[in-house]
Amino acid sequence: DLHGPNIFGKIMIKELNQILELQEIDKVIDQLTFELNACPVQVQDKKDLIIAVKKDLEEKKDALTTFQLSKKNKELELGSCEKRIRKHEGELNSLKSNESYKAMLREIDTVKEQKSVIETEILTLFEQIDASHASAKSFDATAKQQEQAYLAEIAQIEARAESLKSQLAAETQKREAFLPSLEAEALSVYEYIRKKKGGVAIVHVHGDSCGGCNTTLTPGILNEVKKQKSLVRCESCSRILCVAEKAATAPVNAG
């Protein structure tokens, strides 16, 4: 429990600067880790955009195919009408009664009307096919440009990820090399508070307030911090307080 016995009493103020230096290293490590972890998400976002562009292109191509198929079906219907008209016209001479003859003429006129409607629909489909083909062709060029742009961005992100890995490895090595210079007790305290308090174990005083949780500090606490004879913690958030220049200069999340 951070609010239990004063575990800071055994740590000398001279070790504060070392802990501060470690915290600065860890801040860099945390930032690099955050940025590195964001890279796969950013890459996936770009890949999703590529998928979306390809999907749009396929939809345009599917629309063109649909128009072409409809045109083909209409042309089959048109051929069927023309065949029926020729058949009926050939049957006219074989009809015996005037009534049958007139009925056949009406049937021929009906089929011709159907043929006219189909011809109009085919003309409309020709226009739709031309427009759809032009749209798909134009979008295909745009889609390729967009895909290449997204692939270039992915390459940049992946290159940045490699750079971040190298930086992170260097900072981690720097941390490992620094740890032996710290007293075990000081390191234990630092690591414990850091884990509990979002990576920030030490904060400096802002006026009469804690730089970690913004709680107003008592005169007694402020006085102890200024004396710098021993480590002092905030009674609210339990972070270590200091007036050192290296300490965090902006408030962190309360808690």
Side-chain angles (χ1 to χ4, degrees):
D1 182 0
L2 289 175
H3 294 284
N6 187 354
I7 57 177
F8 306 128
K10 299 178 182 179
I11 303 172
M12 301 301 293
I13 193 65
K14 65 182 181 180
E15 295 165 347
L16 178 61
N17 287 336
Q18 288 181 305
I19 301 176
L20 281 168
E21 188 171 348
L22 177 60
Q23 180 165 275
E24 290 302 309
I25 295 173
D26 282 336
K27 283 168 61 179
V28 174
I29 290 176
D30 289 345
Q31 182 61 32
L32 290 171
T33 301
F34 175 80
E35 293 180 21
L36 183 59
N37 289 340
C39 287
V41 178
Q42 294 169 355
V43 167
Q44 188 57 53
D45 286 344
K46 300 302 178 183
K47 289 182 177 180
D48 289 343
L49 288 172
I50 291 175
I51 292 172
V53 168
K54 289 183 175 180
K55 182 180 178 182
D56 288 344
L57 179 59
E58 286 304 312
E59 288 177 352
K60 290 185 181 297
K61 290 181 177 179
D62 288 344
L64 175 59
T65 301
T66 299
F67 287 137
Q68 290 172 330
L69 182 60
S70 296
K71 173 178 163 291
K72 183 177 180 180
N73 290 334
K74 289 299 176 181
E75 287 172 340
L76 291 173
E77 289 181 33
L78 180 63
S80 177
C81 286
E82 291 173 340
K83 185 177 179 180
R84 287 167 61 193
I85 291 171
R86 288 193 299 269
K87 180 177 179 293
H88 292 329
E89 288 177 340
E91 293 171 341
L92 285 174
N93 294 330
S94 64
L95 296 174
K96 304 298 182 180
S97 67
N98 189 47
E99 189 64 33
S100 295
Y101 190 86
K102 290 180 178 179
M104 183 61 73
L105 288 177
R106 288 194 297 271
E107 175 65 18
I108 291 172
D109 287 340
T110 299
V111 178
K112 284 183 176 179
E113 288 177 2
Q114 293 175 352
K115 177 189 172 189
S116 178
V117 171
I118 293 171
E119 287 173 336
T120 300
E121 292 174 339
I122 290 174
L123 288 174
T124 300
L125 284 167
F126 266 118
E127 294 174 354
Q128 291 173 323
I129 287 171
D130 287 343
S132 181
H133 183 268
S135 176
K137 184 177 181 181
S138 174
F139 190 80
D140 184 43
T142 301
K144 288 178 180 177
Q145 291 177 350
Q146 290 179 327
E147 181 177 0
Q148 289 304 312
Y150 292 140
L151 288 173
E153 291 177 12
I154 288 174
Q156 290 177 349
I157 295 170
E158 290 176 340
R160 173 163 172 73
E162 290 303 313
S163 175
L164 288 170
K165 287 179 183 178
S166 297
Q167 294 177 59
L168 183 58
E171 289 298 323
T172 301
Q173 186 175 12
K174 179 180 177 181
R175 186 184 200 274
E176 293 301 317
F178 183 79
L179 290 182
S181 66
L182 280 172
E183 292 292 334
E185 187 73 25
L187 178 60
S188 176
V189 169
Y190 167 76
E191 294 284 18
Y192 183 72
I193 301 176
R194 170 178 157 78
K195 181 178 179 181
K196 295 287 185 179
K197 297 298 176 179
V200 180
I202 310 172
V203 294
H204 84 300
V205 174
H206 290 283
D208 60 354
S209 300
C210 169
C213 63
N214 296 319
T215 298
T216 300
L217 303 170
T218 64
I221 292 292
L222 288 171
N223 189 46
E224 289 299 315
V225 174
K226 291 175 182 178
K227 285 181 181 179
Q228 297 191 34
K229 290 184 177 180
S230 62
L231 296 188
V232 182
R233 61 177 175 173
C234 171
E235 294 181 339
S236 178
C237 71
S238 293
R239 292 185 177 94
I240 300 172
L241 300 168
C242 71
V243 293
E245 186 175 344
K246 289 185 180 180
T249 56
V252 297
N253 293 331

